[in-house]
Amino acid sequence: MRYFCAAVLAALFFVLGPVSGALAQDITLRSRDGGVELTGTLLGFDGEFYRLRTQYGELTVDGSGVFCEGVGCPSLTDYVADLSISGSATIGTVLMPALIESFALRTGLSAVREDLDPALFQYKLTDTKSGKLVGRFAFRVSNTDEGFADLLGDDADIVMALREIRRSEVALAREAGLGDLLHPNRSRVLALDAMVPIVAPINPVDAISPTDLSRILSGNLVNWRELGGPDAPVTVHLRDAGSGLSQGVEDRLLTPARSELRAEVIRHSTNAELATAIARDPFGIGLASFSEIGNAKPLGLTGPCGFQLRAARRSIKTEDFPLTAPMFLYLPARRLPALAREFLTFTRSPPAQIVIRRAGFVDQAPEEVPVDLQGNRFTNAILVAEGEGGLDELRRMTRTLSEMRRLTTSFRFEAGSSRLDAQSRSNVQQLARSLESGAYDGRKLVFVGFSDGQGPAQSNMAIARKRAETVRRAVLEAAETADTNQVEILTEAFGEAMPMACDNSAWGRQVNRRVEVWLK
């Protein structure tokens, strides 16, 4: 009896995933000595733990300590791990299937896809030696909004999202007993994408400022002549309103400008349709996924100072391109089946990063970039160096970094906040795991802080150094098992010495405020 009660209490810290309607039946769990029994509606079973709705509330019980009685009891010997995934078609159509097939190949499983309808399919995972079915991963591909709706309706275990979860969704999830989806363990960045402004190849415009892009989206800039193009009206193309990509455009470009999207927008249901429409529209402009630009022409992002940033694999990975869009998986506070947990672990592995790149997205595998391959970054630093103090700082930075390599793992903060942004929070975990594995043993790792150019240089230097210390502390706290005696971990700061974008706009200042990682 005591064993059963202890098992119940200990298991309250775990939550299981949703189950099909066939399993939502009353069962009785009886302790092995027969002294205690618990009756309720079976909500989930992951091969190890039962989740029940009882008169005492929702409870989770360790299956090793009980017998299950009732027609709804799952099989312990022929258990099949069921996982339901819903949300972004951009993630679900190509990337997730590629990852599942690679995962199966590396774990001795065969993965057979079954298409149920255009938006529904599942993978049946079978042990290649025994021929036994061990898992069913079901997908519903639509958009980010639908993914969160399915999660809140208990119809999905995992959400595929092209934007961060919104406050209203966080509140609804908490009310539904799904936990705090803002917690670091409740989301992960699967891969990286970007929102890239595109036009037709015959359009003479080659770059645009985020400010002008916002003006176009809000309807305050309506003629290409204002951008050096033809005397013709601007046509705006976007993905459908429920798409995470389209919502990300509004969140990143319109909300900060306190503007609303213009009424005349041509919507497209897929990324491919959007790119094709833009390529054919000589006066059109759209925000496309970096993974699917098609025959359209991508525009660079620029500003009055002349600095220009273009979407490329490396600039997206470092988040130097300001419209980088992380691709999220959101997981509620539920204990997923062991097979599902193994798959999620695989998505962060080096082989998975190769799959991500082959699928056309930007992976998160860190790369070391020597100084001579860092584009015009040092040129920008020379251009903004002013006075003897500025030149001295430039020389100090050059001496310090010239013999080192920049890691593509960078860190940035949310606008007006000391909280790291979503991609950077994921980077903390990634760098921590690298330290734990000994990837940088015997080397020097330096967190280098940079700031925007607003305000006194001395204050900017202090802010940059504080940011570097904040990131260093966060990484070391996450790297619990790392032997820090094997790697020299330092901080440095160069303030406003190396800007990435113009300081005369909010987006430019945001890009310039960063912490980079350099290695020797």
Side-chain angles (χ1 to χ4, degrees), residues 125-140:
L125 302 176
T126 305
D127 187 291
T128 54
K129 291 183 178 180
S130 66
K132 178 182 176 182
L133 179 67
V134 296
R136 285 183 294 258
F137 288 8
F139 284 83
R140 178 171 180 254

Side-chain angles (χ1 to χ4, degrees), residues 317-386:
K317 184 177 288 192
T318 59
E319 212 176 348
D320 291 345
F321 185 73
L323 296 181
T324 296
M327 308 173 77
F328 296 96
L329 295 181
Y330 278 91
L331 305 88
R334 289 174 173 157
R335 182 183 174 88
L336 296 175
L339 185 65
R341 300 197 301 270
E342 291 170 9
F343 169 67
L344 290 174
T345 299
F346 167 77
T347 62
R348 286 178 162 171
S349 67
Q353 304 311 305
I354 296 174
V355 173
I356 290 168
R357 288 181 63 172
R358 288 177 177 171
F361 299 97
V362 178
D363 64 279
Q364 297 181 88
E367 301 173 33
E368 297 181 23
V369 187
V371 170
D372 59 351
L373 292 181
Q374 296 194 37
N376 59 2
R377 282 159 48 87
F378 279 83
T379 302
N380 292 348
I382 294 171
L383 291 174
V384 300
E386 295 182 354

Side-chain angles (χ1 to χ4, degrees), residues 250-447:
E250 296 188 45
D251 291 347
R252 301 280 290 277
L253 290 168
L254 291 175
T255 300
R258 299 180 181 179
S259 301
E260 294 184 357
L261 185 65
R262 59 191 283 177
E264 308 83 13
V265 175
I266 301 173
R267 298 284 189 176
H268 302 276
S269 59
T270 68
N271 293 329
E273 288 179 11
L274 171 63
T276 300
I278 288 292
R280 294 174 177 172
D281 184 352
F283 307 126
I285 187 170
L287 273 296
S289 165
F290 173 75
S291 65
E292 208 158 1
I293 292 174
N295 293 323
K297 181 175 76 172
L299 300 181
L301 293 179
T302 188
C305 67
F307 294 174
Q308 192 172 119
L309 296 166
R310 292 189 175 271
R313 186 178 60 82
R314 188 173 292 159
S315 66
I316 293 172
K317 184 177 288 192
T318 59
E319 212 176 348
D320 291 345
F321 185 73
L323 296 181
T324 296
M327 308 173 77
F328 296 96
L329 295 181
Y330 278 91
L331 305 88
R334 289 174 173 157
R335 182 183 174 88
L336 296 175
L339 185 65
R341 300 197 301 270
E342 291 170 9
F343 169 67
L344 290 174
T345 299
F346 167 77
T347 62
R348 286 178 162 171
S349 67
Q353 304 311 305
I354 296 174
V355 173
I356 290 168
R357 288 181 63 172
R358 288 177 177 171
F361 299 97
V362 178
D363 64 279
Q364 297 181 88
E367 301 173 33
E368 297 181 23
V369 187
V371 170
D372 59 351
L373 292 181
Q374 296 194 37
N376 59 2
R377 282 159 48 87
F378 279 83
T379 302
N380 292 348
I382 294 171
L383 291 174
V384 300
E386 295 182 354
E388 189 62 30
L391 292 174
D392 286 344
E393 191 61 22
L394 176 60
R395 283 191 285 266
R396 185 176 75 88
M397 182 181 69
T398 303
R399 283 195 301 268
T400 303
L401 302 181
S402 60
E403 296 181 356
M404 304 179 75
R405 290 170 172 254
R406 182 194 179 189
L407 201 63
T408 51
T409 303
S410 301
F411 302 89
R412 284 181 169 81
F413 297 81
E414 293 180 347
S417 171
S418 60
R419 183 174 185 251
L420 289 170
D421 66 18
Q423 184 173 332
S424 298
R425 295 194 297 272
S426 178
N427 287 346
V428 166
Q429 300 301 320
Q430 179 193 68
L431 185 54
R433 289 193 300 274
S434 296
L435 289 173
E436 289 175 331
S437 69
Y440 303 118
D441 283 359
R443 303 185 68 181
K444 178 191 291 186
L445 187 151
V446 185
F447 292 94

Side-chain angles (χ1 to χ4, degrees), residues 8 11-12 14 38 50-54 56-61:
V8 172
L12 290 178
F14 298 95
L38 187 66
Y50 298 91
R51 181 166 62 98
L52 286 81
R53 182 182 295 115
T54 73
Y56 310 108
E58 190 173 302
L59 301 177
T60 303
V61 181

Side-chain angles (χ1 to χ4, degrees), residues 80-204:
V80 177
D82 283 300
L83 184 71
S84 58
I85 305 169
S86 178
S88 166
T90 301
I91 302 174
T93 301
V94 176
L95 181 54
M96 288 293 277
L99 287 169
I100 287 174
E101 291 172 11
S102 179
F103 166 72
L105 185 64
R106 291 177 174 273
T107 53
L109 302 175
S110 68
V112 177
R113 174 169 171 156
E114 294 183 350
D115 292 309
L116 306 176
D117 70 33
L120 295 172
F121 63 89
Q122 71 172 355
Y123 273 93
K124 288 186 175 180
L125 302 176
T126 305
D127 187 291
T128 54
K129 291 183 178 180
S130 66
K132 178 182 176 182
L133 179 67
V134 296
R136 285 183 294 258
F137 288 8
F139 284 83
R140 178 171 180 254
V141 293
S142 51
N143 56 52
T144 298
D145 272 0
E146 291 294 328
F148 282 118
D150 284 346
L151 181 69
L152 294 170
D154 214 20
D155 292 323
D157 299 300
I158 296 176
V159 177
M160 302 175 290
L162 281 183
R163 60 166 172 80
E164 288 195 68
I165 189 170
R166 290 174 168 168
R167 292 289 175 177
S168 58
E169 293 162 337
V170 171
L172 290 171
R174 190 178 292 114
E175 291 172 6
L178 303 179
D180 181 5
L181 294 189
L182 290 178
H183 191 278
N185 291 334
R186 301 275 66 82
S187 68
R188 63 177 60 194
V189 176
L190 181 68
L192 302 172
D193 200 356
M195 298 176 287
V196 183
I198 58 173
V199 296
I202 63 172
N203 193 315

